Amino acid sequence: MIGPDITGIAGKLGAAADTVTAIPQLAAETGLDVDTAYAVQTALLQRRLDRGERLVGLKMGLTSKAKMAQVGVDEVIWGRLTDVMLVPDGGTVSVGDFIHPRVEPEVAFLLDRLPEPGEPIADFADAVRAVAPAIELIDSRYANFTFSLPDVIADNTSAGAFVVGPWCPVPDGLDNLGVLLEIDGRIAQVGSTAAILGDPRRALDEGIRLAGRHGVRLHQGWIFLAGAATAAVPLRPGAHVRAVVEKLGTASLKAAA
Ligand code: OOG
Ligand code: MG
């Protein structure tokens, strides 16, 4: 049997992002499973690298129940972050560059000395140099922000843009810090880092393990997003967004009017 057309599917998803046009889901029709969906994601990343973008990290998705429930997919997933997706803290994005952008509060790790593939993290403080509050802007390339598990994996887990707040030393506990998402000074979502797999540190173990299954190793100096602690909120033109994580501080983003 001939497998799915990996490059062709990546081309469709890439064009959807470039032209800011939603497309229908394609996994069922093209016979994508989880493995071939990650191959599409890699081809999509290659398209970006070919245009001169640089791979700067890895993001986790659906590491909290709130996120799983919001999109109706209940498996942890991972995707790729490039330099072009990184918006400076306090910076501005244009809503028109995205199909139906949403924002969500995250915790970012700056990776340091990681274990060999297959080995667990012995000392988190060795593996992670610094932590920061972050905002992820997600933007599914599929109509109505609706997708299956292989669809969302192929679409680089809806990655759009992200903001990382000031890096700070790793605090003693990361497992029960309050998280707020504010839009125009009003609280839009409230949560706790406990929602991220019980402890966001676990997201790194999962990231190393799940990416390793597809031959992808994490690197020193990479940014790692542990996954949103709360559901995501639509980003409207003119909005001022702030993510606040207890002990870590805030990250912020503006949407141009
Ligand atoms: C998938 C991406 C999920 C997270 O933090 O859970 C994600 C989506 O919600 O479209 O980035
Ligand atoms: Mg996210």
Side-chain angles (χ1 to χ4, degrees):
M1 204 188 91
I2 302 170
D5 172 12
I6 305 286
T7 321
I9 298 168
K12 279 190 191 164
L13 283 161
D18 292 347
T19 61
V20 196
T21 312
I23 55 170
Q25 293 179 57
L26 36 73
E29 183 192 314
T30 57
L32 277 191
D33 60 12
V34 166
D35 286 343
T36 46
Y38 277 113
V40 171
Q41 189 190 110
T42 299
L44 203 49
L45 170 68
Q46 191 57 51
R47 238 176 141 261
R48 285 181 174 269
L49 300 180
D50 290 345
R51 313 204 271 232
E53 293 184 34
R54 220 163 34 84
L55 180 61
V56 297
L58 194 126
K59 60 159 282 189
M60 300 305 286
L62 312 183
T63 47
S64 69
K65 294 244 163 29
K67 284 290 309 179
M68 287 180 174
Q70 184 174 33
V71 298
V73 175
D74 58 3
E75 301 257 356
V76 174
I77 56 180
W78 57 276
R80 270 68 166 243
L81 300 171
T82 75
D83 58 341
V84 165
M85 301 176 189
L86 180 58
V87 176
D89 189 21
T92 303
V93 294
S94 178
V95 171
D97 290 345
F98 302 96
I99 301 166
H100 34 208
R102 295 177 177 175
V103 282
E104 52 190 25
E106 302 238 0
V107 176
F109 298 157
L110 184 59
L111 301 185
D112 203 345
R113 280 176 297 171
L114 296 166
E116 288 303 307
E119 302 270 319
I121 295 170
D123 184 357
F124 186 78
D126 244 17
V128 170
R129 197 181 314 160
V131 295
I135 299 168
E136 188 182 19
L137 182 160
I138 51 170
D139 189 36
S140 176
R141 266 53 68 168
Y142 302 112
N144 307 313
F145 226 109
T146 303
F147 41 72
S148 66
L149 173 65
D151 275 314
V152 68
I153 291 169
D155 185 25
N156 196 24
T157 65
S158 310
F162 66 105
V163 175
V164 178
W167 291 111
C168 44
V170 181
D172 278 346
L174 267 179
D175 56 324
N176 194 13
L177 304 178
V179 175
L180 291 179
L181 181 70
E182 289 178 8
I183 310 277
D184 297 330
R186 290 200 190 88
I187 294 171
Q189 292 285 337
V190 186
S192 158
T193 55
I196 305 163
L197 296 176
D199 183 330
R201 285 176 292 198
R202 249 180 234 144
L204 183 55
D205 283 305
E206 280 298 279
I208 292 171
R209 192 177 67 80
L210 293 173
R213 273 195 202 165
H214 297 273
V216 173
R217 272 191 81 165
L218 282 61
H219 293 278
Q220 194 172 38
W222 273 17
I223 297 168
F224 178 88
L225 295 181
T230 72
V233 171
L235 180 66
R236 311 269 182 229
H240 283 54
V241 182
R242 232 161 64 104
V244 185
V245 183
E246 188 188 345
K247 284 195 201 167
L248 305 189
T250 70
S252 68
L253 170 71
K254 290 189 216 85

